[in-house]
């Protein structure tokens, strides 16, 4: 094709795109440019992360306690609470939630989790509750601005981590009193025992394995719901993690998320051999994966930025260490991997919010990539800082400890690969 005919063809295409009457066609739909609301929220959360969270990070990591004063600060400015989550969720593109999480966790992941841990229970109530249950329980998960509370989502058990179907906690319906009686032990629950509202996954029919699971709200102060051992952790130490014991714990019938009628219908379908529409715990995990990935991204970015500045300042052999390609290329790769992970996170968040089908487990992809990038980048940051990186005088060792959980909770990296490989192959890969 000659140059002139190529130009003519291009002109023809432009004319067609503009429409027959010559008016310009609608602008391009695909954009990665954030809108003003998204930019404003990013700046707002970043300001809190920089001014309040970061300066407190070391102290609360050492204390290994829930940073209530910081949660209170977040509640006061409207960053912790039902309204904030509603505001993030209202963004129809789905991007505001990951953007806010990335910024907060850039400040510090332990404190970030102390603030965001409640949202896992909220997501379960939001995803599975009736409108009345949402109205009743979601505000109670957060408490009031001057007296904030936290909530816990309890699925894992000592013998049921990756294998959710092995859950042994049972819920039996007592028809005489219209109550559910819950018995079992939950493990590694974020905010377990210190939460006002606990959401517990229990089996109502063990034979049906995960298809016999249901989610229950345990209201504040319910007898028989007690904190077990508090877990001492490698990282994320400002976030409380503990076992939860459920001992003849009685909750009103109305605490079954979604209601009994819906549960009975679902169980009947499963017993008839029809496909169950949902599995209680898996639904919650699937919806929250890109948000969890965004938290990992925040840690990775914090470590990368710290290492970049350090590498420009630190002099060895009479020149900044970034003058060495091995250091500069590592930083280039860190930036590249973080940006690539963010694109996966944003894609999955957008797909989830706009109701696209996750044909290839894109939610799992985003969490897998971001978690592994966070572990790798924080480890590289320690290497770039050398001896200083290994000490508690510098923040990158804490970031590395915090990052590691992102290849474990909300589905380990192996489980994410399992989900992805099953999605792409249509086969029951084991
Ligand atoms: C800090 C922290 C906070 C947590 N918060 C919560 C919470 O709020 N609520 C909650 O319910 N849970 C929570 N958890 C639990 C967490 O979700 C589990 O630890 C996680 O799901 C992994 O389960 P597991 O620890 O039993 O590991 P296991 O399932 O025993 O896995 C051990 C190893 O075996 C691998 N493996 C297992 N099965 C397979 C397979 N089929 N194929 C290949 N590899 C496999 C895993 O990938 C992993 O590497 C938390 C855990 C921690 C540490």
């Amino acid at each position: 094709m000659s140059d002139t005919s190529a130009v003519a063809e291009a002109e023809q295409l432009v004319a067609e795109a503009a429409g027959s009457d010559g008016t310009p066609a609608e602008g391009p739909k695909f954009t990665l440019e954030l809108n003003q609301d998204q930019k404003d929220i990013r700046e707002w959360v970043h300001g809190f992360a920089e001014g309040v969270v970061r300066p407190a990070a070391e102290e609360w990591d050492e204390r290994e306690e829930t940073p209530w004063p910081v949660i209170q600060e977040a509640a006061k400015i409207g960053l912790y609470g039902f309204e904030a989550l509603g505001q993030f969720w209202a963004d129809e593109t789905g991007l505001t939630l990951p953007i806010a999480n990335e910024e907060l966790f850039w400040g510090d992941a332990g404190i970030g989790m102390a603030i965001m841990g409640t949202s896992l229970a909220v997501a379960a109530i939001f995803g599975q509750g009736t409108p009345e249950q949402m109205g009743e329980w979601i505000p109670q998960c957060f408490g009031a601005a001057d007296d904030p509370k936290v909530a816990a989502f309890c699925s894992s058990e000592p013998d049921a981590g990756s294998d959710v179907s092995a859950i042994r906690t049972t819920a039996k319906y007592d028809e005489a009193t219209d109550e559910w009686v819950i018995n079992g032990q939950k493990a590694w629950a974020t905010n377990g025992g210190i939460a006002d509202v606990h959401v517990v996954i229990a089996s109502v029919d063990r034979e049906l394995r995960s298809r016999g699971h249901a989610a229950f709200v345990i209201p504040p102060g319910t007898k028989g719901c007690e904190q077990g051992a508090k877990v001492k952790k490698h990282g994320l130490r400002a976030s409380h993690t503990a076992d939860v014991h459920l001992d003849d714990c009685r909750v009103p019938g109305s605490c079954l998320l979604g209601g009994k009628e819906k549960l009975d219908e679902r169980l009947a379908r499963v017993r008839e051999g029809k496909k169950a529409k949902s599995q209680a715990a898996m639904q919650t995990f699937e919806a929250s994966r890109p948000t969890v990935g965004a938290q990992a991204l925040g840690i990775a970015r914090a470590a990368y930025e710290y290492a970049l500045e350090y590498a420009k300042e630190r002099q060895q052999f009479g020149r900044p260490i970034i003058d060495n390609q091995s250091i500069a290329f590592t930083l280039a790769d860190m930036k590249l991997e973080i940006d690539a992970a963010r694109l996966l996170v944003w894609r999955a968040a957008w797909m989830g919010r706009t109701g696209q089908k996750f044909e290839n487990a894109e939610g799992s992809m985003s969490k897998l990539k971001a978690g592994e990038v966070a572990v790798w980048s924080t480890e590289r940051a320690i290497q770039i800082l050398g001896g200083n990186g290994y000490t508690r005088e510098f923040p990158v060792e804490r970031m590395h400890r915090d990052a590691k959980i992102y290849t474990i909770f909300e589905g380990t990296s192996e489980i994410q690969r399992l989900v992805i490989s099953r999605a792409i192959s249509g086969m029951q890969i084991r």
Side-chain angles (χ1 to χ4, degrees), residues 153-156 161-162 188 190 233 241 405 408-410 412 414:
F153 176 75
C154 312
S155 169
S156 304
S162 301
W188 305 296
T190 300
K233 303 195 298 290
T241 314
I405 191 60
I408 298 172
F409 69 4
E410 292 259 340
T412 64
E414 292 76 17

Side-chain angles (χ1 to χ4, degrees), residues 165-247:
S165 69
I167 281 177
R168 286 195 193 155
T169 296
T170 55
K172 292 208 163 55
Y173 187 58
D174 181 347
E175 215 156 347
T177 58
D178 181 29
E179 286 175 323
W180 287 92
V181 187
I182 305 174
N183 276 290
Q185 183 186 340
K186 293 295 178 182
W188 305 296
T190 300
N191 297 335
I194 63 164
D196 258 39
V197 172
H198 290 77
V199 174
V200 166
I201 304 297
S203 173
V204 292
D205 185 337
R206 292 279 305 271
E207 274 179 24
L208 300 181
R209 298 187 58 86
S210 57
R211 291 173 306 164
H213 291 173
F216 298 86
V217 168
I218 314 287
T222 303
K223 249 178 82 185
C225 175
E226 300 284 340
Q227 181 185 312
K230 181 181 169 183
V231 182
K232 284 178 82 71
K233 303 195 298 290
H234 178 62
L236 228 57
R237 301 196 307 179
S239 163
H240 171 99
T241 314
D243 286 359
V244 173
H245 296 286
L246 298 147
D247 237 341

Side-chain angles (χ1 to χ4, degrees), residues 40-286:
D40 290 346
I41 288 179
R42 182 174 63 179
E43 210 172 297
W44 175 54
V45 181
H46 187 83
F48 182 77
E50 191 170 35
V52 180
V53 174
R54 242 198 211 177
E58 188 187 351
E59 177 192 346
W60 293 99
D61 175 60
E62 292 294 341
R63 285 173 67 165
E64 295 194 48
E65 286 170 14
T66 300
W68 285 106
V70 185
I71 297 177
Q72 204 152 19
E73 284 291 305
K76 266 193 211 145
I77 65 158
L79 178 56
Y80 181 75
F82 180 37
E83 291 77 14
L85 216 56
Q87 190 187 358
F88 300 157
W89 180 251
D91 177 0
E92 288 174 349
T93 72
L95 294 195
T96 299
L97 201 54
I99 287 170
N101 273 273
E102 180 179 334
E103 294 312 316
L104 186 61
F105 282 68
W106 171 90
D108 178 61
I111 295 177
M113 186 51 69
I115 292 172
M116 284 295 176
T118 294
S119 60
L120 206 54
V122 170
I125 298 169
F126 187 69
Q128 295 168 54
T130 62
E132 296 74 42
Q133 288 170 326
M134 288 183 216
E136 178 166 12
W137 299 113
I138 293 180
Q140 291 194 52
C141 287
F142 294 104
D146 53 356
D147 184 21
K149 307 289 182 197
V150 292
F153 176 75
C154 312
S155 169
S156 304
E157 298 183 359
D159 294 319
S162 301
D163 183 7
V164 177
S165 69
I167 281 177
R168 286 195 193 155
T169 296
T170 55
K172 292 208 163 55
Y173 187 58
D174 181 347
E175 215 156 347
T177 58
D178 181 29
E179 286 175 323
W180 287 92
V181 187
I182 305 174
N183 276 290
Q185 183 186 340
K186 293 295 178 182
W188 305 296
T190 300
N191 297 335
I194 63 164
D196 258 39
V197 172
H198 290 77
V199 174
V200 166
I201 304 297
S203 173
V204 292
D205 185 337
R206 292 279 305 271
E207 274 179 24
L208 300 181
R209 298 187 58 86
S210 57
R211 291 173 306 164
H213 291 173
F216 298 86
V217 168
I218 314 287
T222 303
K223 249 178 82 185
C225 175
E226 300 284 340
Q227 181 185 312
K230 181 181 169 183
V231 182
K232 284 178 82 71
K233 303 195 298 290
H234 178 62
L236 228 57
R237 301 196 307 179
S239 163
H240 171 99
T241 314
D243 286 359
V244 173
H245 296 286
L246 298 147
D247 237 341
D248 279 334
C249 177
R250 287 182 165 266
V251 297
S254 59
C255 286
L256 165 65
L257 288 177
K260 187 146 186 323
E261 203 175 308
K262 208 169 149 202
L263 173 70
D264 288 342
E265 271 173 30
R266 176 159 66 85
L267 295 179
R269 282 172 62 84
V270 175
R271 289 184 189 117
E272 280 168 23
K274 291 184 187 152
K275 235 179 138 198
K277 275 195 192 137
S278 64
Q279 291 171 11
M282 291 314 291
Q283 250 193 12
T284 303
F285 285 138
E286 196 46 48

